Amino acid sequence: MSENLAALRDKIVVVPDFPTPGISFKDLSWILADPVTLGITVRAWADAARPEAPTMIVGVEARGFPLGAALAYELGCGFVKLRKSGKLPRAVHRREYALEYGTSALEIHQDALTADDRVVIVDDVLATGGTAAASVHLVRETGARVISLAVLMDLTFLEGRAVMESLGVNVHALIDDEGNPYPHP
Ligand code: AMP
């Protein structure tokens, strides 16, 4: 698997000082734009998550939407959105959180999941873990169980993985911040 994952590194575009000075933004758009690397990504996550018997994939706005829906299709699961503030039309659970740059808030429809659901959360990058932790809390507020977090890249120096471990959530990350594949996502 790690041989395939090495193909992801060539698709990473690093954008210095975006969206604010000092942030090294990892643009992973080319991984989605290439059917080969998109397929590698989705199959690697599916192989890691299948033994966890998930029923629902929850995608974090915005890059978690296409990636999460593709994973849901691959696993035969449903797909649910975690949206930024004010976008969902019905009753929501809401959580504010700190980002590597600034603050934000996420919402989920209160009736989006049930207590029977076993959830994998999907996003492109794990940085400080603030977004992922807010996502875990929101999914839990619906009564569903969070099994794992699937991300393309783990910015290891920001230690988001430790935040997830403290919440009892597995992390399936495919590459580190230098694009090196993890042997066991
Ligand atoms: P965090 O909440 O700090 O773990 O940040 C994760 C969220 O912010 C993800 O939704 C990422 O898409 C985005 N993000 C944070 N830092 C970066 C970065 N350096 N490059 C690309 N995306 C990032």
Side-chain angles (χ1 to χ4, degrees), residues 18 23-27 60-61 63 97-101 123-132 155 158 160:
F18 181 87
I23 298 294
S24 168
F25 191 86
K26 310 298 190 295
D27 180 8
V60 183
E61 185 169 352
R63 285 156 285 194
Y97 59 98
L99 277 173
E100 190 187 1
Y101 38 81
D123 203 354
D124 63 340
V125 174
L126 175 64
T128 65
T131 306
L155 303 183
L158 292 171

Short mmCIF file of all heavy atoms in Angstrom, two decimals, residues 18 23-27 60-61 63 97-101 123-132 155 158 160, ligand 1:
data_model
loop_
_atom_site.label_atom_id
_atom_site.label_comp_id
_atom_site.label_asym_id
_atom_site.label_seq_id
_atom_site.Cartn_x
_atom_site.Cartn_y
_atom_site.Cartn_z
N PHE A 18 -0.46 31.41 3.32
CA PHE A 18 -1.89 31.38 3.00
C PHE A 18 -2.59 30.52 4.03
O PHE A 18 -2.11 29.43 4.34
CB PHE A 18 -2.13 30.80 1.59
CG PHE A 18 -3.59 30.79 1.22
CD1 PHE A 18 -4.18 31.89 0.61
CD2 PHE A 18 -4.39 29.67 1.49
CE1 PHE A 18 -5.53 31.89 0.29
CE2 PHE A 18 -5.74 29.68 1.18
CZ PHE A 18 -6.31 30.77 0.57
N ILE A 23 1.55 30.69 7.79
CA ILE A 23 0.92 29.39 7.56
C ILE A 23 1.40 28.81 6.23
O ILE A 23 1.39 29.50 5.21
CB ILE A 23 -0.64 29.51 7.54
CG1 ILE A 23 -1.16 30.00 8.88
CG2 ILE A 23 -1.26 28.17 7.14
CD1 ILE A 23 -0.94 29.04 10.04
N SER A 24 1.85 27.57 6.29
CA SER A 24 2.26 26.86 5.08
C SER A 24 1.08 25.97 4.66
O SER A 24 0.87 24.89 5.20
CB SER A 24 3.49 26.01 5.41
OG SER A 24 3.75 25.10 4.38
N PHE A 25 0.30 26.47 3.70
CA PHE A 25 -0.95 25.81 3.33
C PHE A 25 -0.67 24.64 2.40
O PHE A 25 0.02 24.79 1.39
CB PHE A 25 -1.90 26.80 2.66
CG PHE A 25 -3.30 26.27 2.48
CD1 PHE A 25 -4.23 26.38 3.51
CD2 PHE A 25 -3.68 25.65 1.30
CE1 PHE A 25 -5.51 25.89 3.36
CE2 PHE A 25 -4.97 25.15 1.15
CZ PHE A 25 -5.89 25.27 2.17
N LYS A 26 -1.22 23.48 2.75
CA LYS A 26 -1.04 22.28 1.91
C LYS A 26 -2.28 22.14 1.03
O LYS A 26 -3.36 21.76 1.51
CB LYS A 26 -0.87 21.04 2.79
CG LYS A 26 0.19 21.19 3.88
CD LYS A 26 1.58 21.44 3.31
CE LYS A 26 2.67 21.36 4.35
NZ LYS A 26 2.60 22.40 5.39
N ASP A 27 -2.12 22.49 -0.24
CA ASP A 27 -3.23 22.39 -1.20
C ASP A 27 -3.21 20.99 -1.82
O ASP A 27 -2.27 20.64 -2.55
CB ASP A 27 -3.06 23.47 -2.28
CG ASP A 27 -4.18 23.41 -3.31
OD1 ASP A 27 -5.14 22.65 -3.11
OD2 ASP A 27 -4.07 24.12 -4.33
N VAL A 60 -16.44 16.81 6.56
CA VAL A 60 -16.30 18.16 7.09
C VAL A 60 -16.20 19.14 5.92
O VAL A 60 -15.37 18.96 5.02
CB VAL A 60 -15.04 18.29 7.97
CG1 VAL A 60 -14.94 19.69 8.57
CG2 VAL A 60 -15.05 17.22 9.07
N GLU A 61 -17.04 20.20 5.92
CA GLU A 61 -17.01 21.21 4.86
C GLU A 61 -15.61 21.82 4.77
O GLU A 61 -15.04 22.17 5.79
CB GLU A 61 -18.03 22.31 5.17
CG GLU A 61 -18.14 23.33 4.06
CD GLU A 61 -19.35 24.29 4.22
OE1 GLU A 61 -20.19 24.07 5.12
OE2 GLU A 61 -19.41 25.23 3.43
N ARG A 63 -13.69 20.23 1.98
CA ARG A 63 -12.96 19.17 1.26
C ARG A 63 -13.36 17.78 1.72
O ARG A 63 -13.13 16.79 1.03
CB ARG A 63 -11.46 19.41 1.36
CG ARG A 63 -11.03 20.53 0.44
CD ARG A 63 -9.76 21.19 0.89
NE ARG A 63 -9.96 22.06 2.04
CZ ARG A 63 -9.12 22.94 2.49
NH1 ARG A 63 -7.97 23.09 1.89
NH2 ARG A 63 -9.38 23.68 3.54
N TYR A 97 -14.86 26.38 17.44
CA TYR A 97 -13.55 25.79 17.69
C TYR A 97 -12.46 26.68 17.13
O TYR A 97 -12.71 27.53 16.28
CB TYR A 97 -13.47 24.39 17.06
CG TYR A 97 -13.68 24.38 15.58
CD1 TYR A 97 -12.60 24.35 14.70
CD2 TYR A 97 -14.96 24.45 15.03
CE1 TYR A 97 -12.78 24.36 13.33
CE2 TYR A 97 -15.16 24.47 13.66
CZ TYR A 97 -14.07 24.43 12.82
OH TYR A 97 -14.27 24.46 11.47
N ALA A 98 -11.21 26.46 17.62
CA ALA A 98 -10.06 27.24 17.15
C ALA A 98 -9.37 26.49 16.02
O ALA A 98 -9.24 25.27 16.05
CB ALA A 98 -9.08 27.43 18.30
N LEU A 99 -8.96 27.23 15.00
CA LEU A 99 -8.21 26.68 13.86
C LEU A 99 -6.72 26.98 14.03
O LEU A 99 -6.35 27.80 14.88
CB LEU A 99 -8.66 27.35 12.56
CG LEU A 99 -9.89 26.84 11.85
CD1 LEU A 99 -10.21 27.77 10.69
CD2 LEU A 99 -9.66 25.43 11.33
N GLU A 100 -5.89 26.37 13.16
CA GLU A 100 -4.47 26.75 13.10
C GLU A 100 -4.39 28.25 12.81
O GLU A 100 -3.49 28.93 13.27
CB GLU A 100 -3.77 25.93 12.00
CG GLU A 100 -2.27 26.05 11.99
CD GLU A 100 -1.63 25.37 10.78
OE1 GLU A 100 -2.36 24.84 9.94
OE2 GLU A 100 -0.41 25.42 10.68
N TYR A 101 -5.39 28.74 12.05
CA TYR A 101 -5.49 30.18 11.76
C TYR A 101 -6.93 30.61 12.01
O TYR A 101 -7.82 30.28 11.28
CB TYR A 101 -5.11 30.46 10.31
CG TYR A 101 -5.59 29.41 9.32
CD1 TYR A 101 -6.90 29.42 8.86
CD2 TYR A 101 -4.75 28.41 8.86
CE1 TYR A 101 -7.35 28.48 7.97
CE2 TYR A 101 -5.19 27.46 7.98
CZ TYR A 101 -6.49 27.49 7.53
OH TYR A 101 -6.93 26.54 6.65
N ASP A 123 -11.81 14.39 6.53
CA ASP A 123 -11.34 15.73 6.17
C ASP A 123 -10.03 15.57 5.39
O ASP A 123 -9.48 14.47 5.33
CB ASP A 123 -11.15 16.59 7.42
CG ASP A 123 -11.22 18.08 7.12
OD1 ASP A 123 -11.31 18.47 5.93
OD2 ASP A 123 -11.19 18.88 8.08
N ASP A 124 -9.53 16.66 4.81
CA ASP A 124 -8.29 16.51 4.03
C ASP A 124 -7.05 16.56 4.91
O ASP A 124 -6.12 15.77 4.73
CB ASP A 124 -8.23 17.52 2.89
CG ASP A 124 -8.19 18.97 3.35
OD1 ASP A 124 -8.59 19.24 4.50
OD2 ASP A 124 -7.77 19.84 2.56
N VAL A 125 -7.02 17.49 5.87
CA VAL A 125 -5.81 17.73 6.67
C VAL A 125 -6.14 17.72 8.16
O VAL A 125 -7.12 18.34 8.58
CB VAL A 125 -5.17 19.10 6.29
CG1 VAL A 125 -4.01 19.42 7.21
CG2 VAL A 125 -4.70 19.10 4.84
N LEU A 126 -5.34 17.01 8.95
CA LEU A 126 -5.40 17.10 10.41
C LEU A 126 -4.27 18.02 10.85
O LEU A 126 -3.09 17.71 10.63
CB LEU A 126 -5.24 15.71 11.03
CG LEU A 126 -5.17 15.64 12.56
CD1 LEU A 126 -6.47 16.12 13.20
CD2 LEU A 126 -4.83 14.22 13.03
N ALA A 127 -4.62 19.17 11.45
CA ALA A 127 -3.60 20.11 11.90
C ALA A 127 -3.57 20.10 13.43
O ALA A 127 -3.03 19.17 14.02
CB ALA A 127 -3.87 21.50 11.32
N THR A 128 -4.19 21.08 14.10
CA THR A 128 -4.18 21.08 15.57
C THR A 128 -5.19 20.09 16.15
O THR A 128 -5.15 19.80 17.35
CB THR A 128 -4.56 22.47 16.11
OG1 THR A 128 -5.91 22.76 15.72
CG2 THR A 128 -3.63 23.55 15.57
N GLY A 129 -6.11 19.64 15.32
CA GLY A 129 -7.14 18.72 15.80
C GLY A 129 -8.41 19.43 16.27
O GLY A 129 -9.37 18.78 16.67
N GLY A 130 -8.41 20.78 16.21
CA GLY A 130 -9.59 21.53 16.66
C GLY A 130 -10.84 21.21 15.85
O GLY A 130 -11.92 21.01 16.41
N THR A 131 -10.69 21.17 14.54
CA THR A 131 -11.82 20.85 13.66
C THR A 131 -12.30 19.43 13.91
O THR A 131 -13.50 19.17 14.02
CB THR A 131 -11.40 20.99 12.18
OG1 THR A 131 -10.86 22.28 11.97
CG2 THR A 131 -12.58 20.76 11.26
N ALA A 132 -11.35 18.52 13.99
CA ALA A 132 -11.70 17.11 14.17
C ALA A 132 -12.36 16.89 15.53
O ALA A 132 -13.34 16.14 15.64
CB ALA A 132 -10.46 16.24 14.02
N LEU A 155 -0.48 16.89 9.82
CA LEU A 155 0.61 17.84 10.11
C LEU A 155 1.14 17.48 11.50
O LEU A 155 0.70 18.04 12.50
CB LEU A 155 0.11 19.28 10.05
CG LEU A 155 -0.54 19.74 8.74
CD1 LEU A 155 -0.92 21.22 8.82
CD2 LEU A 155 0.38 19.49 7.56
N LEU A 158 1.82 19.58 14.75
CA LEU A 158 0.72 20.25 15.46
C LEU A 158 -0.03 19.29 16.40
O LEU A 158 -0.92 19.71 17.14
CB LEU A 158 -0.24 20.90 14.45
CG LEU A 158 0.37 22.07 13.69
CD1 LEU A 158 -0.55 22.54 12.56
CD2 LEU A 158 0.66 23.25 14.62
N GLY A 160 -2.31 16.96 16.32
CA GLY A 160 -3.76 16.68 16.31
C GLY A 160 -4.07 15.23 16.61
O GLY A 160 -5.13 14.92 17.18
P1 AMP B 1 -7.22 21.96 12.63
O1 AMP B 1 -8.59 22.22 13.17
O2 AMP B 1 -6.19 22.89 13.19
O3 AMP B 1 -6.81 20.50 12.79
O4 AMP B 1 -7.26 22.28 11.09
C1 AMP B 1 -7.78 21.35 10.20
C2 AMP B 1 -8.67 22.03 9.19
O5 AMP B 1 -8.11 23.23 8.67
C3 AMP B 1 -8.87 21.13 8.01
O6 AMP B 1 -10.23 21.28 7.60
C4 AMP B 1 -7.92 21.63 6.96
O7 AMP B 1 -8.52 21.63 5.70
C5 AMP B 1 -7.57 23.04 7.38
N1 AMP B 1 -6.13 23.30 7.53
C6 AMP B 1 -5.49 23.63 8.67
N2 AMP B 1 -4.20 23.86 8.47
C7 AMP B 1 -3.96 23.63 7.17
C8 AMP B 1 -2.80 23.69 6.34
N3 AMP B 1 -1.60 24.02 6.83
N4 AMP B 1 -2.93 23.37 5.04
C9 AMP B 1 -4.15 23.02 4.54
N5 AMP B 1 -5.29 22.96 5.27
C10 AMP B 1 -5.20 23.26 6.57
#
